[in-house]
Amino acid sequence: MKTDGNQAVVIGGGAAGMMAAAAAAESGRSVILLEKNEKLGKKLYITGKGRCNVTNACGRDKFFENIVSNPKFLYSAFSTFDNKRLEMFLENNGCHLKEERGERVFPASDHASDVTAAFERFLKKNGVQVRLHSEVREIETDGDRITGVTLADGRKIPAGCVIVATGGLSYPVTGSTGDGHRMARTLGHKVTDCAPALVSLETEGDWCKKLQGLSLKNVSLTMSCGKKKLYQGFGEMLFTHYGVSGPLVLSASSFYGKKKGPEAVSLTIDLKPALSEEQLDKRILRDFEENRNRQFKNALGGLYPAKLISVMIERSGIDPEKKVHEVTKQERRRLAELTKDFPLQVRGKRGFEEAVITQGGVSVKEVNPSTMESKLVRGLYFAGEVLDLDGLTGGFNLQIAWSTGYLAGKSCTACEGKH
């Protein structure tokens, strides 16, 4: 295939792909953006429950605290195109933003479509050829450098550089089916083990099923493997028929995959993190004094949500018919301990169909962090979730996509001179 040195091909029209195409076109490249779906940004439409949490407005240090895998690799990309620059880009292209709790940034309209529309305007204005329903079968090389791509229908497109921004394996219904990983392997790249991340957890026993639908706010969650603490966080969680979900649990799930060995993983919930054990005991005593002649089962309404009461009684081992003034100090302490340390055993994670992101991907050891170019094949670049990079909930994963996409797009403008 004859190489067109000035032509850049971007594979994948998600967050990283749109940004890569935008950055390359802005730098004067002739850009073709190939998307196998019927529209750009398909996965964006389901992020943040359809509202699209585009980034997090936190400072640099806090941003990197929220990156789970390979944060150092991201230093250059984030420095080149950080959250402030992303906000400016969207605002300048007609997508107005607002900041919410936890410094999460959303479109002011609460519509993910406004984010995609901002990119579509920019891409059109800068002459990017967007080709939908265009699936790439393979990336072509002449041995050590990129020459173009071959589509599923056999057509060939010459290119001086190719940016792979195909996403991971999560939400396969949006087209994330591991295409980029396959292409990377074919070209000699290592792909680390992939697992669902930011995903609900399945637990042992039937406690969670009894609590299905119950949402807890302002609780603390700790995940441990043996004596090692894997994760601790504060916020909101939800009980489901199979286990637990919600923002706290999704974040914890990203550390579940980091455990080594066969040891079981446990969760403990602190239902009253604002109170010390001593303060909680005084609080329970006060409630008991006010209800001293009632049955134990009817005296817990001030302490727990209604749905949780029967489970707390069962797990405390205290006779529900017992009069409150007959509850012993030892039993009361047991109730306090359970409140501060409600245990659950993790059986496993839910699958890629429900996972927000993929943990694992193209090994960052084989990618130049200053350019996003492959160290193995000249003119080959990677951006976004296809890489072994991931963060916690709150807009961090989309910022990874924006930052790496921008750096790849800007860097690929140097391809022509190198070839």
Side-chain angles (χ1 to χ4, degrees), residues 73-215:
F73 177 84
L74 269 178
Y75 287 175
S76 186
F78 186 75
S79 296
T80 304
F81 193 85
D82 63 10
N83 44 7
K84 302 303 175 202
R85 286 196 65 181
L86 181 272
E87 289 183 42
M88 199 184 309
F89 176 90
L90 290 174
E91 289 278 359
N92 289 344
N93 287 283
C95 177
H96 301 299
L97 304 170
K98 62 179 177 180
E99 191 176 317
E100 295 187 4
R101 182 176 53 85
E103 298 181 281
R104 289 166 160 83
V105 180
F106 293 87
S109 64
D110 283 331
H111 293 306
S113 55
D114 284 1
V115 179
T116 308
F119 274 95
E120 287 174 333
R121 279 190 289 272
F122 186 90
L123 296 176
K124 188 176 181 181
K125 186 173 75 178
N126 285 273
V128 173
Q129 292 182 54
V130 176
R131 299 185 189 176
L132 304 175
H133 303 288
S134 297
E135 184 173 352
V136 175
R137 188 172 70 207
E138 61 185 316
I139 298 169
E140 304 287 350
T141 73
D142 66 1
D144 69 341
R145 71 176 189 185
I146 290 296
T147 57
V149 300
T150 300
L151 302 183
D153 63 9
R155 283 182 298 152
K156 294 181 182 292
I157 301 173
C161 66
V162 170
I163 301 172
V164 180
T166 51
L169 296 162
S170 52
Y171 289 132
V173 69
T174 64
S176 300
T177 50
D179 298 350
H181 296 157
R182 175 182 55 75
M183 294 172 200
R185 285 192 190 98
T186 301
L187 294 170
H189 275 272
K190 181 188 175 188
V191 177
T192 63
D193 291 343
C194 293
L198 299 187
V199 69
S200 304
L201 296 173
E202 297 181 353
T203 56
E204 303 284 1
D206 63 352
W207 302 113
C208 293
K209 198 167 186 177
K210 292 177 181 178
L211 297 170
Q212 182 179 348
L214 174 65
S215 177

Side-chain angles (χ1 to χ4, degrees), residues 347-368:
R347 187 168 64 232
K349 293 192 284 190
R350 301 292 276 179
F352 282 114
E353 316 79 51
E354 298 177 28
V356 177
I357 55 150
T358 303
Q359 196 164 64
V362 175
S363 172
V364 296
K365 291 176 182 174
E366 298 172 351
V367 178
N368 184 338

Side-chain angles (χ1 to χ4, degrees), residues 216-245:
L216 297 177
K217 293 182 179 176
N218 302 319
V219 297
S220 178
L221 181 75
T222 302
M223 175 188 277
S224 305
C225 181
K227 292 183 178 178
K228 187 180 180 187
K229 187 191 292 182
L230 299 176
Y231 171 80
Q232 185 168 36
F234 174 84
E236 188 175 341
M237 62 177 291
L238 173 73
F239 289 94
T240 68
H241 66 283
Y242 53 77
V244 284
S245 189

